[in-house]
């Protein structure tokens, strides 16, 4: 399946989950993932969208490793099924957080 179709589906599903899937465009750093995802309760992760069966480039792998080293989740997604898997994982996680996303007491 084409990357564009998977990315459109991903953006639509993130929106249905109450989040934003922001396109990452950087002139100062190549290899960044395609999307930065912001979900309710302060959940943030990155998504690299690929056409089905396509692999990430060496530079992308390097940048993904750096982001993971900083504590961020980075997913490489190449199918509708993977979109659902990733978002299902985060729906479970965000359900356990306080509704306002604030972990500090007032």
């Amino acid at each position: 399946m084409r990357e564009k179709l998977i990315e459109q589906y991903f953006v639509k599903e993130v929106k249905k989950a109450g989040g934003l899937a922001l396109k990452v465009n950087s002139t100062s750093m190549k290899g960044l993932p395609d999307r930065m995802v912001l979900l309710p309760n302060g959940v943030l992760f990155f998504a690299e969208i690929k056409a089905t069966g396509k692999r990430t480039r060496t530079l992308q792998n390097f940048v993904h490793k750096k982001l993971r080293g900083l504590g961020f989740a980075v997913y490489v997604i190449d199918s509708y099924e993977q979109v659902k898997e990733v978002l299902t994982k985060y729906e479970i996680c965000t359900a356990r957080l306080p509704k306002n996303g604030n972990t500090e007491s007032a």
Side-chain angles (χ1 to χ4, degrees), residues 13-84:
E13 291 300 305
V14 168
K15 187 175 182 179
K16 279 199 316 195
L20 300 170
L22 305 174
K23 186 76 172 168
V24 177
N25 292 319
S26 176
T27 56
S28 63
M29 185 173 186
K30 297 202 182 280
L32 287 170
D34 297 312
R35 297 280 173 169
M36 178 174 61
V37 180
L38 308 170
L39 291 175
N41 295 314
V43 174
L44 183 147
F45 67 90
F46 292 92
E48 178 66 47
I49 312 297
K50 291 291 185 188
T52 302
K54 295 292 181 182
R55 297 183 154 287
T56 52
R57 297 183 318 271
T58 303
L59 179 58
Q60 290 173 317
N61 291 332
F62 175 78
V63 172
H64 295 179
K65 185 176 178 179
K66 273 192 123 17
L67 291 171
R68 288 180 182 118
L70 291 169
F72 295 104
V74 180
Y75 296 96
V76 178
I77 298 171
D78 75 348
S79 69
Y80 287 174
E81 293 79 21
Q82 285 181 322
V83 169
K84 289 201 178 275

